[in-house]
Amino acid sequence: MKRFSFAAALLAATVLSGAASAKTLVYCSEGSPEGFDPALYTAGTTFDASSRPVYNRLVEFTPGTTQIEPGLAESWEVSDDGLEYTFKLRPGVKFQSTDFFSPSRDMNADDVIYSFERQLNADNPWNQYVAGAAWEYFNGMGMPDLIKSIEKVDDMTVKFTLNKPEAPFLANLGMDFASIMSKEYADKLEADGKMDQLNQMPLGTGPFEFVNYQQDAVIRYRANEDYWKGKEAIDDLVFAITTDAAVRLQKLQAGECHIFPYPNAADVESMKSNPDLTVMEQEGLNVAYLAYNTTQAPFDKTEVRKALNMAINKEAIVDAVFQGAATPAKNPIPPTMWSYNDAIQDDPYDPEAAKKMLEEAGVTDLKMKVWAMPVARPYMLNARRAAELIQSDLAAVGVEAEVVSYEWAEYLSRSKEKDRDGAVMLGWTGDNGDPDNFLHTLLGCDAVGGNNRAQWCNEEFDDLVNKAKTTTDKDERTKLYEQAQEVFKREAPWATIDHSLVVMPMRKEVQGYVMSPLGQHSFSGVDLAE
Amino acid sequence: MLRFLVGRLAVLIPTFIGVSIIAFSFIRLLPGDPVMLMSGERVMSQDRYEQISRELGYDRPLVVQYVDYLGGILSGDFGTSIVTKQPVLYQFGELFPATLELSLCAIIFAVLIGIPAGVFAAIKRGSFFDQTIMGTALVGYSMPIFWWGLLLIILFSGILQWTPVSGRISLLYYFPQTTGFMLIDSLLSGQAGAFRSAASHLILPTIVLGTIPLAVIARQTRSAMLEVLGEDYVRTARAKGMPPFRVIAVHSLRNAMIPVVTTIGLQVGVMLAGAILTETIFSWPGIGKWMVDSVFRRDYPVIQGGLLLIAAIIMLVNLMVDILYGLINPRIRH
């Protein structure tokens, strides 16, 4: 009996020391992923849990920047007409070997083709492996019209042929939907009749391999021993799903997690004064705006929109909602984005002049709706508060505004409608660091009835952004985008509100974390000090 | 007794049908198209829409749909989650032990403190202790759970660092769940410290979830005791010179317990409502948090099926309380 308890103690000690020597990084994430196949979804929360730890893409964004660097493609060539992209794949890249699948070969052209074909080709057996798979990013970015063909030149070379030149194409391939899956794993799941599993148990070439997911509670990953960039410094990565920001803060302070996103603005100062914590801050690649419906009277008149813009006190919004952790916006793209036109003069905050302009435009007793999002977003932490401030600003110039809101999904779909009533508050965080991803996506004529909440189709602006899209020379593109911003300011389809700071609190022992301007949370390269 | 049981069941069945009608209508009263809502698809072609509509049976008359729905429930089909593709009943089974474990701890906590506090207050009626206990109970009863939970977290986890903030166990422990009860599974895992970790994670959520039942039980015990203490047989016992402790513990308390047992049973419904908030604050992976997360994810089949299952549990518990009450107090059967 005695010997037995000694053995048990020894076993317990081994287990404990095993647990102590493994480095575990706990990330208190803000929500549950929708699934683990990044191409099916659009939410950052989902990407943080799927494409970032588990997968790689042909090209990657250099950490902390919006520049692209080689990923699974070692190098690439673009034909002179900008229509053919030939990628040389990196040799010797291993897919993860997990409890649920052991790969027999390295990553090759078949995997790349499979990853895109399933989204591109409606006849592909994987196109509808999840009921109603809409491939929202792939389709939303116009990829089906853009990509003419994807060919395997040899095992390690893939050629994309486009229908028209498209400057942001390379950057787009660094986005989450372009993650490279294992065709071998997919084939096995198909043969076993378990295709659903692809979205539940992901397997890629990335720094961490998936271990398991307990719905709404915890996701576990293990460092990929055979990662092509070398094994990570930490051994285990744990996502502790904690939806309440105040609780996330308490967990950080108690040492139950090492790092978390989206703190409450009010807590930032006290976190900064806590010697156990580091608070990283970065200007977000984002914008919050109020989009008028430019197809409806009186908002179809430029001078009315201008006057309303002059009536809104942005400084007051930034102070009240962000407590200074944001800057008032004058352009539709953030200052950290290339081609930002700093020469633009913002409309001054001038209620008297605004009142006068409205009178001159013959607008009296204007009643309008101001839509406020029901959720906190990085670019707008408290939309209702901001809307109320706008409401009182507008009242000061004789405009009666009513604040309305809907459930989030309903809000997004209703605000798209062309004959929608009122001005909609919304915002955007860039996906790929390209100005096209703001200017064309949010304000182009193609996006009317969709992302273009101002329903604004201006020929001059549209020509500029379309020309910039098909030009590959960056200087030339910069000039075009600068001009587009001038048109935007002159025509005022939106009241631009703010660009926010993104805050990332972590414990002192976390080392090597790099904030992404694209709002991604990636733990590759992170270490924990002893 | 049999007639009593049949009578209770006769009330239960129409109640359950009523609840099922509400759950059934719920999806049709929401803004948006039920086919889109139930399929979880956001973009679909007309063909696909009609196909799904047929698959879900939305092309048939409402009454037929309802009968079908009820038939499904009776055979254990509470729908399938849009998000996880798992049957709602299966998920419920996976998550319910967590809620049950927390609720049992909370009710034990509430009984262990509430009954002595109520008895004490009754004996010392009108005293400073009585007023303090009753005042505290009133505060506890009206405490908003969300605020109360955060307050305890900030104090005990944040400042004093005595208890963990949230979850069921430290994430460093990792073992299979055999019973679903973390206190038992952690012991079975053989990992030193796992049980301690599980127990310490239970402390704050137990207090938060137990606060309202505690206040109700304390008040109910007090008033029941006061009533009993005024009865003739208690006065007789006292007059005969019986030791005061025996008068209270044996003669008074046993009789006072009859209404208190009912109160405890009725608290189960309150607890399930409280669990929704408590589990959300403490990231406790039970059915309360499951419901909230499903609302955020717009997982309508889960919301619909989950509500019905929770309602069924409350009704079953109430039935059991009625039966128990009937057993303790034979007068009620007639």
Side-chain angles (χ1 to χ4, degrees):
Chain A
M1 193 62 209
K2 208 162 210 167
R3 201 183 304 157
F4 173 76
S5 60
F6 176 72
L10 199 69
L11 184 75
T14 326
V15 168
L16 274 183
S17 64
S21 67
K23 276 190 189 173
T24 304
L25 180 83
V26 182
Y27 168 62
C28 278
S29 65
E30 77 285 7
S32 309
E34 301 153 281
F36 288 91
D37 181 346
L40 291 170
Y41 306 104
T42 55
T45 310
T46 300
F47 298 151
D48 289 341
S50 58
S51 34
R52 296 296 129 197
V54 179
Y55 294 108
N56 290 121
R57 289 135 294 276
L58 288 176
V59 297
E60 301 276 7
F61 294 104
T62 308
T65 75
T66 57
Q67 301 293 322
I68 50 168
E69 62 177 27
L72 294 181
E74 214 170 26
S75 63
W76 51 88
E77 276 170 23
V78 185
S79 65
D80 290 340
D81 58 6
L83 291 178
E84 284 178 11
Y85 286 71
T86 310
F87 293 91
K88 271 270 168 228
L89 302 183
R90 188 178 297 276
V93 174
K94 304 235 177 306
F95 278 102
Q96 295 150 1
S97 184
T98 65
D99 303 340
F100 49 90
F101 183 73
S102 303
S104 70
R105 62 166 176 80
D106 293 352
M107 185 269 309
N108 68 26
D110 293 333
D111 300 313
V112 177
I113 290 173
Y114 161 74
S115 302
F116 290 97
E117 276 290 333
R118 67 197 191 113
Q119 307 184 54
L120 183 63
N121 182 355
D123 300 329
N124 188 294
W126 287 90
N127 188 262
Q128 287 298 317
Y129 86 101
V130 168
W135 309 108
E136 269 184 74
Y137 254 114
F138 188 80
N139 291 330
M141 298 190 61
M143 289 287 169
D145 295 331
L146 180 68
I147 298 175
K148 191 173 179 184
S149 65
I150 307 171
E151 288 157 76
K152 173 178 177 173
V153 178
D154 60 52
D155 261 1
M156 298 309 283
T157 315
V158 180
K159 187 170 85 178
F160 285 71
T161 309
L162 308 185
N163 284 316
K164 55 178 190 270
E166 169 129 323
F169 182 67
L170 261 184
N172 292 345
L173 292 186
M175 287 170 59
D176 304 88
F177 73 88
S179 295
I180 303 301
M181 330 287 284
S182 161
K183 181 166 193 303
E184 194 190 1
Y185 178 47
D187 285 345
K188 166 126 198 313
L189 294 180
E190 194 177 345
D192 293 353
K194 293 196 291 197
M195 289 166 85
D196 257 6
Q197 191 181 314
L198 188 74
N199 194 26
Q200 287 152 11
M201 298 162 94
L203 183 122
T205 58
F208 297 97
E209 58 192 43
F210 175 85
V211 177
N212 69 14
Y213 172 40
Q214 194 188 336
Q215 178 87 26
D216 300 323
V218 53
I219 315 171
R220 289 175 189 276
Y221 307 91
R222 193 163 39 218
N224 176 1
E225 295 285 340
D226 301 318
Y227 188 41
W228 56 276
K229 282 187 185 169
K231 186 194 163 284
E232 294 291 332
I234 52 172
D235 302 295
D236 295 294
L237 173 65
V238 174
F239 278 35
I241 298 164
T242 315
T243 43
D244 189 280
V247 175
R248 288 203 291 278
L249 171 63
Q250 293 305 328
K251 288 183 87 159
L252 186 76
Q253 286 178 341
E256 286 175 45
C257 61
H258 296 102
I259 181 166
F260 80 86
Y262 312 123
N264 288 326
D267 294 331
V268 173
E269 281 312 307
S270 78
M271 289 190 294
K272 281 183 182 164
S273 61
N274 184 333
D276 295 335
L277 308 181
T278 308
V279 179
M280 287 178 87
E281 283 177 331
Q282 186 181 52
E283 285 187 50
L285 195 74
N286 61 32
V287 64
Y289 58 81
L290 185 71
Y292 304 107
N293 188 343
T294 57
T295 61
Q296 293 208 326
F299 308 105
D300 52 344
K301 288 186 185 162
T302 311
E303 54 273 30
V304 173
R305 302 194 295 260
K306 276 269 185 204
L308 294 178
N309 282 1
M310 286 167 69
I312 297 171
N313 185 353
K314 293 184 231 183
E315 291 281 353
I317 296 175
V318 166
D319 284 347
V321 176
F322 295 90
Q323 290 163 12
T327 46
K330 61 179 180 183
N331 286 329
I333 58 174
T336 44
M337 172 84 84
W338 59 270
S339 85
Y340 180 79
N341 190 342
D342 208 18
I344 298 254
Q345 285 293 316
D346 200 7
D347 301 314
Y349 167 58
D350 190 345
E352 283 311 311
K355 212 168 174 176
K356 219 165 165 189
M357 273 174 82
L358 284 175
E359 276 164 22
E360 279 164 17
V363 176
T364 49
D365 297 329
L366 177 59
K367 287 192 172 90
M368 65 183 285
K369 282 181 181 156
V370 172
W371 294 41
M373 297 99 77
V375 291
R377 305 302 303 145
Y379 46 78
M380 181 47 71
L381 296 177
N382 188 341
R384 187 155 272 276
R385 181 93 184 88
E388 282 163 6
L389 289 169
I390 292 173
Q391 186 181 36
S392 73
D393 284 342
L394 293 179
V397 299
V399 175
E400 193 185 317
E402 181 198 351
V403 178
V404 295
S405 195
Y406 301 95
E407 183 273 324
W408 186 219
E410 193 75 9
Y411 187 95
L412 289 174
S413 74
R414 282 198 192 199
S415 58
K416 284 179 183 166
E417 286 164 13
K418 277 184 93 167
D419 55 353
R420 171 209 85 217
D421 189 11
V424 165
M425 196 190 303
L426 209 60
W428 187 256
T429 299
D431 293 306
N432 57 11
D434 198 289
D436 177 75
N437 182 250
F438 281 76
L439 297 175
H440 184 260
T441 309
L442 304 178
L443 291 157
C445 292
D446 293 345
V448 168
N451 278 322
N452 189 337
R453 294 321 203 270
Q455 316 299 348
W456 182 65
C457 181
N458 178 290
E459 209 174 313
E460 189 184 357
F461 180 91
D462 209 47
D463 282 350
L464 287 166
V465 292
N466 276 322
K467 204 166 158 206
K469 194 184 178 76
T470 51
T471 309
T472 39
D473 179 46
K474 196 166 170 182
D475 292 338
E476 180 65 25
R477 292 186 70 202
T478 302
K479 270 187 210 125
L480 292 165
Y481 285 132
E482 282 172 355
Q483 285 172 33
Q485 288 167 74
E486 283 164 25
V487 179
F488 170 87
K489 198 81 234 174
R490 195 184 69 219
E491 296 291 326
W494 297 349
T496 47
I497 303 175
D498 69 83
H499 310 292
S500 75
L501 276 180
V502 178
V503 181
M504 198 76 187
M506 62 197 77
R507 296 193 63 83
K508 270 274 180 321
E509 51 269 33
V510 177
Q511 295 177 335
Y513 183 80
V514 180
M515 286 184 80
S516 158
L518 303 169
Q520 301 159 344
H521 303 109
S522 164
F523 302 97
S524 188
V526 175
D527 197 358
L528 285 172
E530 295 298 327
Chain B
M1 188 67 196
L2 189 68
R3 183 183 289 173
F4 169 72
L5 259 182
V6 170
R8 289 291 153 178
L9 278 172
V11 180
L12 204 65
I13 290 166
T15 314
F16 185 78
I17 290 178
V19 174
S20 73
I21 290 175
I22 293 171
F24 172 79
S25 329
F26 155 81
I27 208 84
R28 287 155 182 86
L29 294 174
L30 282 172
D33 185 295
V35 177
M36 296 287 236
L37 291 178
M38 289 304 275
S39 68
E41 299 187 14
R42 278 177 278 183
V43 190
M44 58 172 99
S45 64
Q46 191 59 34
D47 284 353
R48 173 106 191 123
Y49 182 91
E50 278 161 16
Q51 181 201 337
I52 292 178
S53 184
R54 266 195 309 278
E55 275 170 22
L56 293 171
Y58 282 111
D59 52 346
R60 297 167 309 159
L62 269 182
V63 179
V64 179
Q65 287 182 45
Y66 173 71
V67 171
D68 201 45
Y69 172 74
L70 199 62
I73 287 167
L74 292 178
S75 61
D77 176 13
F78 282 78
T80 303
S81 161
I82 293 170
V83 176
T84 61
K85 315 283 178 208
Q86 288 169 332
V88 172
L89 192 62
Y90 170 81
Q91 279 192 308
F92 185 86
E94 291 276 289
L95 297 169
F96 189 62
T99 302
L100 191 60
E101 184 177 35
L102 175 58
S103 304
L104 283 176
C105 288
I107 208 86
I108 291 169
F109 164 77
V111 167
L112 285 185
I113 299 187
I115 291 181
V119 171
F120 196 67
I123 301 169
K124 305 272 176 190
R125 180 182 190 179
S127 71
F128 171 71
F129 292 109
D130 179 24
Q131 282 169 2
T132 312
I133 289 172
M134 284 307 104
T136 314
L138 188 67
V139 173
Y141 185 68
S142 28
M143 191 82 81
I145 288 187
F146 224 85
W147 183 78
W148 179 221
L150 270 179
L151 197 74
L152 290 182
I153 290 179
I154 290 169
L155 182 63
F156 290 104
S157 310
I159 299 171
L160 297 171
Q161 307 223 336
W162 289 351
T163 54
V165 180
S166 69
R168 290 183 81 186
I169 192 162
S170 164
L171 294 172
L172 296 177
Y173 299 108
Y174 176 40
F175 47 80
Q177 299 207 357
T178 30
T179 63
F181 291 94
M182 199 54 94
L183 287 177
I184 299 172
D185 287 345
S186 60
L187 279 177
L188 293 178
S189 78
Q191 294 184 47
F195 178 76
R196 257 189 64 162
S197 175
S200 65
H201 278 79
L202 260 167
I203 296 172
L204 290 190
T206 296
I207 295 175
V208 170
L209 187 57
T211 297
I212 291 178
L214 191 159
V216 174
I217 290 170
R219 287 164 65 95
Q220 176 69 54
T221 307
R222 179 181 178 270
S223 64
M225 275 301 277
L226 284 178
E227 202 172 301
V228 173
L229 287 177
E231 296 278 343
D232 289 345
Y233 65 88
V234 172
R235 265 188 303 209
T236 312
R238 276 201 177 127
K240 283 195 320 191
M242 191 181 271
F245 179 77
R246 205 177 145 75
V247 173
I248 289 161
V250 181
H251 284 72
S252 319
L253 191 56
R254 259 177 73 176
N255 288 310
M257 274 303 98
I258 296 172
V260 175
V261 166
T262 324
T263 308
I264 295 173
L266 291 176
Q267 287 307 303
V268 170
V270 178
M271 299 265 277
L272 283 170
I276 290 179
L277 296 173
T278 310
E279 291 182 0
T280 303
I281 311 171
F282 290 97
S283 301
W284 192 266
I287 52 168
K289 184 164 180 296
W290 177 55
M291 293 303 290
V292 173
D293 290 332
S294 301
V295 170
F296 280 116
R297 274 195 301 260
R298 289 178 293 283
D299 196 341
Y300 292 104
V302 170
I303 306 171
Q304 196 178 27
L307 281 178
L308 198 57
L309 281 165
I310 291 174
I313 287 186
I314 294 177
M315 283 189 279
L316 270 180
V317 171
N318 284 350
L319 177 72
M320 286 191 316
V321 168
D322 279 349
I323 295 171
L324 204 64
Y325 198 52
L327 287 177
I328 305 177
N329 190 355
R331 275 178 302 178
I332 207 83
R333 283 182 238 156
H334 304 292

